[in-house]
Amino acid sequence: MITAGIVGGTGYTGVELLRLLSAHPAVTLRVITSRAQAGQPVEAHFPNLRGVVDLAFSEPDPATLGDCDVVFFATPNGTAMEMAPTLIAAGTKVIDLGADFRLRDLEEWSRWYGMTHTCPELAAEAVYGLPERHRAAIRAARLVANPGCYPTAVQLGLMPLVESGAVDTAHLVADAKSGASGAGRQPRQHTLLCEAAENFHAYGASGHRHMPEIRQGLSEAAGHAVGLTFVPHLVPMIRGIHATLYARLHDPATDLQALYENRYADEPFVDVLPPGSHPETRTVRGGNMVRIAVHRPVDSDMALVLAVEDNLVKGAAGQAVQNMNLMFGLDETAGLAHTAVLP
Amino acid sequence: MITAGIVGGTGYTGVELLRLLSAHPAVTLRVITSRAQAGQPVEAHFPNLRGVVDLAFSEPDPATLGDCDVVFFATPNGTAMEMAPTLIAAGTKVIDLGADFRLRDLEEWSRWYGMTHTCPELAAEAVYGLPERHRAAIRAARLVANPGCYPTAVQLGLMPLVESGAVDTAHLVADAKSGASGAGRQPRQHTLLCEAAENFHAYGASGHRHMPEIRQGLSEAAGHAVGLTFVPHLVPMIRGIHATLYARLHDPATDLQALYENRYADEPFVDVLPPGSHPETRTVRGGNMVRIAVHRPVDSDMALVLAVEDNLVKGAAGQAVQNMNLMFGLDETAGLAHTAVLP
Amino acid sequence: MITAGIVGGTGYTGVELLRLLSAHPAVTLRVITSRAQAGQPVEAHFPNLRGVVDLAFSEPDPATLGDCDVVFFATPNGTAMEMAPTLIAAGTKVIDLGADFRLRDLEEWSRWYGMTHTCPELAAEAVYGLPERHRAAIRAARLVANPGCYPTAVQLGLMPLVESGAVDTAHLVADAKSGASGAGRQPRQHTLLCEAAENFHAYGASGHRHMPEIRQGLSEAAGHAVGLTFVPHLVPMIRGIHATLYARLHDPATDLQALYENRYADEPFVDVLPPGSHPETRTVRGGNMVRIAVHRPVDSDMALVLAVEDNLVKGAAGQAVQNMNLMFGLDETAGLAHTAVLP
Amino acid sequence: MITAGIVGGTGYTGVELLRLLSAHPAVTLRVITSRAQAGQPVEAHFPNLRGVVDLAFSEPDPATLGDCDVVFFATPNGTAMEMAPTLIAAGTKVIDLGADFRLRDLEEWSRWYGMTHTCPELAAEAVYGLPERHRAAIRAARLVANPGCYPTAVQLGLMPLVESGAVDTAHLVADAKSGASGAGRQPRQHTLLCEAAENFHAYGASGHRHMPEIRQGLSEAAGHAVGLTFVPHLVPMIRGIHATLYARLHDPATDLQALYENRYADEPFVDVLPPGSHPETRTVRGGNMVRIAVHRPVDSDMALVLAVEDNLVKGAAGQAVQNMNLMFGLDETAGLAHTAVLP
């Protein structure tokens, strides 16, 4: 059994890691840390885990964490880069669900995250944990930078188009919508039910931290720098991301359906829907699947891609478990077969 | 006092007309028809109107309707074109909230609406009821085609850009999101709470009836045929449309803020928000206002426009009342000053 | 014109006072205070009031407030009792939407509110602002204690039964449900959309502050001490209270419908529905109406009363305006005719 | 492996049976019938089951169903009593999730369900499938009447009180609240998102079909006829039932906590929460658990019980699987370990 620890487990990414890891056939949950909740049983904070997880939150302790085979960071940006070097040195594999190791260009990282990077060596070594693009490197990694929620949906949605050179990559548009759980469990006014329910709006329209991450990934896939407009929106629901993606086709006759089906034929967590489909976020709720449909809108030379994921699973904790499975040579799908509850 | 009738009043557009007209200072509600509900008091169907509207639904009767100064059609497509000629001949002004008179090109109309148009003469005469573009013609009209909900938000959002020639009009993108009331009050599975809540998806991605209507309006504003990709989405909320609009600027230095503020300086129902804003649908709930913000996303040559409206007010019944005010020489804002209830 | 001030205007009660007073035909809004937001325009905090309220929040200043004809306190408990004496002395009438002056028994007040009352003289003078019971006293009052949200619905629901002596008053049961706006705008974890949506639970089941307030009112109406079990619940919606009330009838043949219709025949804001009705919270959203239905469940000797209100209107700001109307000799319904927006 | 069939699988009970049975370690799903959807793949109707259930709906065929070891009826009332005799004769065990076999008194059944019972012999033989009360009989049964959703929560909530004789059983009150999935998947106006969201109301307040079922069960548990007032309410959410239960204690000093903990000590699917708790419906979403808390409200002689369940799982499909496990000698919890997804 692989022993696992979680640093910073009181947010929504934390509870999702607990739910997935507690049912994983090859994992023993050893420790979950929280400075604020140290000493409290997990079930007091997450009542769905009553009878499922018997741990209590504890102060983060490098020795205890260093005894684990793998440690997940579900912390605010800036924490993982402080603690990861010690753990890596102790032989512990690290998966960071924050943004500390996602960007190659550390100057750009500083610009978007407002601090200086303290761990450039590991930043250079870290593998970007999108299995559909970097599976082999993830298998060999000591440190994985788990992708952001929006970047996962947008990159998987656009990747076949940019890899194949089928579209004008200078003017990609990603109009993305997320449930409120993406904003976390810290009480803030704009995510109160009374503010977010029966309401819809964009945010970060002039610039959002996930834009450079998406651009980096798509540029790497394209082999050249791409141009991207990315606009996130807040949907009055708890979970789910829907990315609506627009790219101008060089050849309007491109067979989009075949392109996507071929690209993802062997992917266990990417489901290309039949022609004419409209993927719904609820069909992936609680599961690690991304569902994608491709369209050619009437009277238009655009490729239109619709991609949905659960932002806390494939967009965070589920993808982290998928990466863990790869890093430890397990079946990539172990512990990740969850059917969405409908309705 | 102007006497008003409503044909087909049991849907969400009907109740909204009743709410607005019953409080209008210059209108007397005379008749509201419904074949299915004939004889039933309005309050049995719309409990919010108990104590406000004392009418009962009645069978549609041309004579009674023809005695009204104005008749609103809140009917399925195809009904208004059957009844309008008689009413117009009787000197009654007609405002159709359906789609019968929105498209100039009746062949295109037949393609999208699946029937033959029976009233081409009135279709040629009808004025498209978007006051921000056609105010003078509306004032003189006998028959107004009230715009669709999406077309109102998308056209008002893009109009300054296409009128001014500031953008590449061949590749406009309108990513639009609507609350479920846009789908009407007829019971259908996909708009049940258990299907639509906690869920988000696109629909009509390959082609939607509002696309040709938007394209017609923008082409007229541009002075040439424009290219448009339009994708609607269903938001798990009751009311509100949010249009996110993308257009490539010819000159990235265009002062978008000034362009919009100038264009809409005299418009009572278009509110251009300060730079950096993100309009929220709830701020226009129940009111006739459209709120618009313009952005220049970082590292991009795109103009990004965010526009919100209440789909049942400015997107339907409110705009119809605004048109009535114009047609009868009233203050354009009469009966339309509603502050959104927040939270 | 009556000049009005609001102390503590950044919560949901504050915005509702602003919405109602800004449209009131006999009121001029003079000042709205907030220490935290001083200097900020109201519209930055409440975007629905953009173009409607042009004030900015200011530091509370006794002189400015004392120049107003009436001051509303929408403050945390304990604030009004500090500031009210000065204002009353200056001739300003005061309406406290908090709990400082609601309980006659100040020892009980201290037990439930956890502080010592600093203003017992005014507490003795204050009139409990439930017009349906204390209209004459309110007309003459300098200081009105505006009832709590739950107490308004529960008292109006049970009053005809206890006034008439028709029921066993020793075992009244009030099962009450409220939307999340009752919990205020302060960010707290349990009212985040991600916690409160798709969820339902009771709270304060062992004892809630509104119980002694309800018990005091019903005991006064009964002429003797009543026994009450009161359980509040949080509904995943923004606005609305539904009280389901159970009382054992002395005589099962009592004509409940007539009892309620007679009791409330002259009340402008209490609507007794036809037999067999189930009032819906949405029918009173944004308005000052309470709607009530009475039932005799099959095979039971219980009277069952269903009562709905908008917790922020009749349960707070609307009732405060109703009280102001009475205190200043205005039409009791002035500024309070709002039709609920449906859907 | 046990072979299983489902009759009438297109509603919410059907999809939940499919979700649970498809993951059950001892079950092979053989057939699912639907006259309306015959020939359609299950995944077209229930997109969450894409890749999970490969069956298509078929016409109900007695021979095919009679080849199954067990058949579940998820049909409108009246269907199971027509088909069950043939299946029972063929040696197939039957679990009816409808109401055909729930009431002992067939005259009362006819009164509430509006038809004559066609199968009185099997009605006499059928075992009421509440394992916490009838486990031994269920193990031996050929035909199980699966309890209704409200009756499960209310009976489990009140059972320790009535079994122990601790309360006045003549005036029990059950105030129950349910998400909209309890109303089924048939499109009806009152469960449209636009009608049910942001709204709360009671229904069936004068009398609801689940009242006699609850009364029958509690009377049997008490050993005498009990009196019950039962009022259901519709909550603007998809899943979950919350029952708030009131009963007057003979002895206010009764140790409710010990009573409940002892009664349910060995029950795998009843979780008695620590003193002071308020169970939340979301903590049992998708799982078969009932969570219960007991309170003694201040200044009251009432026992107050709060009980939550997922209406589609312990209130329907999950309890049916629990019953199947008992009928076939399997581990009672097989296939029923689901952790609620939170948030």
Side-chain angles (χ1 to χ4, degrees), chain D:
Chain D
M1 298 293 278
I2 297 165
T3 54
I6 301 173
V7 180
T10 57
Y12 292 143
T13 306
V15 64
E16 201 62 354
L17 279 169
L18 287 169
R19 181 177 71 93
L20 296 176
L21 292 174
S22 67
H24 194 291
V27 171
T28 302
L29 257 173
R30 189 60 70 76
V31 59
I32 176 156
T33 81
S34 161
R35 286 210 159 81
Q37 303 288 329
Q40 292 292 313
V42 162
E43 72 169 57
H45 202 66
F46 297 128
N48 63 321
L49 297 178
R50 180 173 156 87
V52 177
V53 172
D54 287 331
L55 293 171
F57 293 106
S58 58
E59 294 277 348
D61 169 46
T64 314
L65 293 167
D67 279 346
C68 293
D69 296 317
V70 61
V71 167
F72 297 86
F73 283 86
T75 45
N77 300 317
T79 302
M81 68 184 182
E82 300 294 343
M83 296 177 67
T86 311
L87 297 177
I88 298 277
T92 297
K93 299 191 183 190
V94 168
I95 301 175
D96 178 23
L97 287 85
D100 288 8
F101 299 105
R102 287 181 192 158
L103 295 188
R104 295 263 147 262
D105 181 338
L106 295 188
E107 273 186 45
E108 183 152 40
W109 188 88
S110 292
R111 201 155 53 238
W112 288 95
Y113 290 94
M115 50 185 129
T116 305
H117 206 288
T118 61
C119 192
E121 322 78 45
L122 281 180
E125 175 189 330
V127 175
Y128 189 70
L130 193 65
E132 292 77 7
R133 178 95 197 145
H134 302 293
R135 185 168 281 113
I138 294 164
R139 284 206 174 98
R142 299 190 300 173
L143 169 59
V144 162
N146 211 57
C149 52
Y150 285 124
T152 298
V154 175
Q155 290 179 83
L156 291 176
L158 286 173
M159 199 175 292
L161 293 174
V162 299
E163 284 176 348
S164 65
V167 295
D168 170 12
T169 53
H171 298 95
L172 302 170
V173 170
D175 190 289
K177 300 90 174 169
S178 176
S181 60
R185 207 184 197 195
Q186 273 310 106
R188 292 194 294 176
Q189 194 175 72
H190 77 286
T191 48
L192 291 176
L193 183 138
C194 291
E195 305 288 315
E198 288 299 311
N199 194 19
F200 189 90
H201 61 86
Y203 62 97
S206 297
H208 183 280
R209 290 170 173 183
H210 283 174
M211 193 277 283
E213 180 182 342
I214 300 168
R215 192 170 54 183
Q216 166 185 284
L218 292 177
S219 296
E220 186 268 337
H224 60 261
V226 306
L228 171 74
T229 305
F230 166 68
V231 181
H233 302 74
L234 184 63
V235 184
M237 64 182 183
I238 299 172
R239 284 180 181 237
I241 279 180
H242 186 289
T244 313
L245 307 166
Y246 304 85
R248 195 168 157 193
L249 284 164
H250 293 312
D251 175 5
T254 307
D255 184 343
L256 292 173
Q257 188 72 26
L259 178 66
Y260 275 71
E261 289 185 357
N262 290 336
R263 174 61 178 84
Y264 291 127
D266 298 327
E267 287 300 339
F269 293 117
V270 183
D271 178 24
V272 179
L273 297 178
S277 298
H278 298 87
E280 304 181 47
T281 58
R282 63 173 176 162
T283 69
V284 297
R285 187 166 49 211
N288 200 48
M289 195 68 75
V290 170
R291 297 200 207 268
I292 296 179
V294 289
H295 288 261
R296 278 292 321 283
V298 67
D299 298 346
S300 153
D301 60 0
M302 285 283 186
L304 170 65
V305 185
L306 313 174
V308 297
E309 69 172 19
D310 185 322
N311 54 303
L312 296 179
V313 189
K314 184 62 174 170
Q319 187 147 262
V321 171
Q322 187 181 356
N323 282 321
M324 179 198 71
N325 288 341
L326 290 168
M327 294 163 88
F328 286 87
L330 304 171
D331 175 355
E332 187 171 341
T333 66
L336 291 171
H338 297 269
T339 302
V341 171
L342 178 156

Side-chain angles (χ1 to χ4, degrees), chain B residues 19-55:
Chain B
R19 181 177 73 92
L20 297 176
L21 293 175
S22 65
H24 194 290
V27 171
T28 302
L29 254 174
R30 191 59 69 78
V31 59
I32 175 157
T33 80
S34 161
R35 288 211 158 81
Q37 303 289 328
Q40 293 293 312
V42 162
E43 73 171 56
H45 201 66
F46 298 127
N48 63 322
L49 296 178
R50 180 173 155 87
V52 178
V53 173
D54 287 331
L55 294 172

Side-chain angles (χ1 to χ4, degrees), chain A residues 12 181 185 191 193-195, chain C residues 12 181 185 191 193-195:
Chain A
Y12 291 141
S181 60
R185 206 185 196 193
T191 48
L193 182 137
C194 291
E195 305 287 317
Chain C
Y12 292 141
S181 59
R185 207 186 197 194
T191 47
L193 182 137
C194 291
E195 305 288 316

Side-chain angles (χ1 to χ4, degrees), chain A residues 272-288:
Chain A
V272 179
L273 297 178
S277 299
H278 298 89
E280 304 182 45
T281 59
R282 62 173 177 162
T283 68
V284 297
R285 187 166 49 210
N288 200 49

Side-chain angles (χ1 to χ4, degrees), chain C residues 269-309:
Chain C
F269 293 118
V270 182
D271 178 23
V272 179
L273 297 178
S277 298
H278 298 89
E280 304 181 46
T281 59
R282 63 173 176 163
T283 69
V284 297
R285 187 167 49 212
N288 200 48
M289 196 66 77
V290 171
R291 297 203 207 265
I292 295 179
V294 288
H295 288 260
R296 279 291 321 285
V298 66
D299 298 347
S300 153
D301 60 0
M302 286 284 187
L304 170 65
V305 185
L306 312 175
V308 298
E309 68 173 19

Side-chain angles (χ1 to χ4, degrees), chain B residues 80-239:
Chain B
M81 67 185 182
E82 300 294 344
M83 296 178 66
T86 310
L87 297 177
I88 298 276
T92 298
K93 299 191 183 189
V94 169
I95 301 175
D96 178 23
L97 287 85
D100 289 8
F101 300 104
R102 289 182 192 156
L103 295 189
R104 294 263 149 262
D105 180 338
L106 296 187
E107 272 185 46
E108 182 151 41
W109 189 88
S110 293
R111 200 155 54 237
W112 286 96
Y113 291 93
M115 50 186 129
T116 304
H117 206 289
T118 62
C119 191
E121 324 74 48
L122 281 179
E125 175 188 331
V127 175
Y128 189 72
L130 192 65
E132 292 77 6
R133 178 93 198 146
H134 302 293
R135 183 168 282 115
I138 294 165
R139 284 205 173 97
R142 299 192 299 173
L143 169 60
V144 162
N146 212 56
C149 52
Y150 286 123
T152 298
V154 174
Q155 288 178 83
L156 291 176
L158 286 173
M159 199 175 294
L161 293 175
V162 300
E163 285 177 346
S164 67
V167 295
D168 169 12
T169 54
H171 298 96
L172 303 170
V173 170
D175 190 288
K177 301 90 174 171
S178 175
S181 60
R185 206 185 196 195
Q186 273 308 108
R188 292 195 294 175
Q189 195 175 69
H190 77 285
T191 48
L192 291 175
L193 181 137
C194 291
E195 305 288 315
E198 290 297 313
N199 195 20
F200 188 91
H201 60 88
Y203 62 98
S206 297
H208 183 279
R209 288 170 173 182
H210 284 174
M211 193 277 283
E213 180 182 343
I214 300 168
R215 193 171 52 185
Q216 166 186 286
L218 293 177
S219 296
E220 185 270 337
H224 60 261
V226 306
L228 171 74
T229 306
F230 167 67
V231 182
H233 302 74
L234 184 64
V235 184
M237 64 182 185
I238 298 173
R239 281 178 184 242

